[in-house]
Amino acid sequence: MCSEIILRQEVLKDGFHRDLLIKVKFGESIEDLQTCRLLIKQDIPAGLFVDPYELASLRERNITEAVMVSENFDLEAPNYLSKESEVLIYARQDSQCVDCFQAFLPVHYRYHRPHSHDGETSIVVNHPDLLMFCDQGEGCRCFLRVEE
């Protein structure tokens, strides 16, 4: 039984083109993470989009292993004409942390309606779902702690 999982999300870069970095640290009770695969299901709010063509290019260059799940996806649509989308990302083991996985996802802001306020818009990226498979015979029960 593993003790806890720590999830941390960071948004890197400024402007319309940013990177979402997802880091996952497992408790010490999982003996051999080398046999495990971690799949992250990340919901993307309507105010952002992930470019499926960019994901394909990143997969070809072995940078990120991710795929869009949502169909009928319009890259050009503004925020108010868009829906949430969903991306599946295989996280990779972190070379600097034995018990850690991380995933990198480029995200882009959509255009919003003009308004007379200060010109800033907040978009909330919810925490992802984590799905893990290990070749070990035993399953584990884990407790997720999210770092803000």
Side-chain angles (χ1 to χ4, degrees):
M1 183 158 163
C2 56
S3 54
E4 72 176 352
I5 299 172
I6 300 169
L7 169 70
R8 195 167 107 210
Q9 291 176 294
E10 295 177 47
V11 178
L12 309 174
K13 300 196 290 191
D14 293 323
F16 276 82
H17 309 284
R18 300 188 180 203
D19 295 324
L20 177 62
L21 182 61
I22 304 167
K23 295 183 175 189
V24 181
K25 180 169 178 21
F26 287 90
E28 299 171 6
S29 333
I30 296 181
E31 291 179 17
D32 187 12
L33 283 175
Q34 299 293 331
T35 67
C36 300
R37 294 275 291 172
L38 178 64
L39 181 66
I40 298 171
K41 183 178 96 41
Q42 180 69 60
D43 292 322
I44 306 297
L48 297 174
F49 72 92
V50 174
D51 183 342
Y53 303 107
E54 183 179 18
L55 289 184
S57 174
L58 293 172
R59 266 194 319 274
E60 287 175 8
R61 295 185 320 214
N62 202 24
I63 295 172
T64 291
E65 194 175 345
V67 66
M68 293 288 302
V69 176
S70 305
E71 294 181 13
N72 302 326
F73 184 74
D74 186 355
L75 289 175
E76 303 297 328
N79 173 55
Y80 51 90
L81 296 176
S82 299
K83 297 183 244 178
E84 284 191 358
S85 57
E86 189 176 284
V87 179
L88 296 175
I89 315 155
Y90 273 110
R92 298 189 176 181
Q93 287 193 302
D94 187 342
S95 61
Q96 299 176 1
C97 173
V98 176
D99 301 324
C100 302
F101 284 81
Q102 67 179 5
F104 162 82
L105 184 67
V107 294
H108 308 279
Y109 277 88
R110 290 189 180 274
Y111 289 110
H112 291 69
R113 288 189 191 270
H115 55 81
S116 60
H117 301 296
D118 63 4
E120 292 188 15
T121 301
S122 296
I123 299 173
V124 176
V125 177
N126 292 323
H127 302 298
D129 293 329
L130 305 176
L131 305 158
M132 186 168 195
F133 174 78
C134 298
D135 286 337
Q136 304 169 22
E138 300 177 27
C140 75
R141 294 183 187 163
C142 302
F143 304 96
L144 178 63
R145 177 167 56 101
V146 176
E147 288 188 348
E148 298 296 328

